[in-house]
Amino acid sequence: MNVAIVKYNAGNIYSVVNALKRLGITPELTDDAEQLSKADRVLFPGQGEAGSTMAYLRSRGLDRLIRDLKQPVLGICIGQQLMCGHSEESDTDCLGIFDTEVLKFRPEKHEDKVPHMGWNTLARTSSPLFKGFGTDEFVYFVHSYYVPVNPYTIAVTDYVVPFSAALHKDNFYATQFHPEKSGSVGERILKNFLDLTV
């Protein structure tokens, strides 16, 4: 299977490369339009800041390219946020794949720390991405911004407010959490993504 990872100015991409290698896949890390378009699966992971990252994507035409991909695409962390319409972070217009916004966590209680960092559970999972899942599966999060629950939500996590832990529309999937840092649970999600029927 030919798997490509979008190469751009975001951190934490190599942990995704290593997670895929553990599944027997050696992905291509590329910003080449032809390579990305021909890949069987594309991952759009990373950690970063919305405004500068969208500026980088636009400067290289990667914004249009990602929107036009037809194979299964998985956004991770800022990848999920950038696939939405607009982010409160730097008042940024994003890719608009998911018609929803990205909001900043506003702590309501003293114990609500931002960023939301560490292990938390997934609830209301409803997608082939979560095939074989039971209740209260734990995954790893690091984020200060979140996507509210909306019609594209396929998993919910509660921190300050219930929010979208994962999204799905057509061939586009996205997770706010990091599958590549979520142990055997995350490995199963990546494998389910690779096994999706097109």
Side-chain angles (χ1 to χ4, degrees):
M1 177 178 283
N2 178 10
V3 177
I5 296 176
V6 180
K7 181 181 176 183
Y8 67 113
N9 66 332
N12 195 49
I13 287 177
Y14 287 98
S15 59
V16 178
V17 172
N18 292 330
L20 290 169
K21 284 183 175 176
R22 288 194 293 272
L23 292 172
I25 299 287
T26 301
E28 290 187 71
L29 182 57
T30 181
D31 60 3
D32 180 77
E34 187 174 354
Q35 282 184 301
L36 289 166
S37 297
K38 285 184 174 178
D40 299 311
R41 301 285 184 276
V42 173
L43 288 93
F44 179 42
Q47 292 174 316
E49 187 272 330
S52 59
T53 303
M54 276 307 303
Y56 183 96
L57 293 174
R58 287 192 183 100
S59 73
R60 286 156 177 78
L62 289 168
D63 57 331
R64 292 188 307 277
L65 175 67
I66 292 166
R67 277 196 298 265
D68 290 343
L69 292 172
K70 302 300 182 203
Q71 67 274 66
V73 177
L74 178 63
I76 295 172
C77 194
I78 196 169
Q80 169 171 294
Q81 294 179 10
L82 295 180
M83 289 163 86
C84 295
H86 184 269
S87 175
E88 281 191 338
E89 187 173 25
S90 304
D91 190 22
T92 303
D93 288 330
C94 300
L95 296 172
I97 293 165
F98 300 109
D99 184 18
T100 186
E101 59 188 343
V102 181
L103 305 176
K104 185 173 177 61
F105 277 124
R106 290 173 172 82
E108 297 173 358
K109 303 186 293 290
H110 175 69
E111 59 268 27
D112 293 338
K113 305 292 186 196
V114 177
H116 171 216
M117 183 182 298
W119 297 87
N120 209 332
T121 53
L122 294 175
R124 290 158 52 188
T125 53
S126 58
S127 165
L129 212 55
F130 304 109
K131 181 182 174 185
F133 271 53
T135 55
D136 291 337
E137 301 275 12
F138 281 83
V139 290
Y140 189 80
F141 292 88
V142 184
H143 61 122
S144 299
Y145 292 80
Y146 70 95
V147 179
V149 175
N150 65 78
Y152 308 109
T153 301
I154 55 171
V156 175
T157 294
D158 200 331
Y159 187 80
V160 182
V161 294
F163 67 87
S164 296
L167 302 171
H168 172 224
K169 177 188 176 186
D170 303 327
N171 58 308
F172 293 99
Y173 296 80
T175 65
Q176 180 59 66
F177 57 89
H178 290 272
E180 77 282 3
K181 294 183 176 181
S182 297
S184 60
V185 172
E187 196 168 277
R188 202 178 331 147
I189 290 167
L190 290 173
K191 187 173 187 312
N192 286 342
F193 172 69
L194 297 174
D195 290 344
L196 287 171
T197 52
V198 182

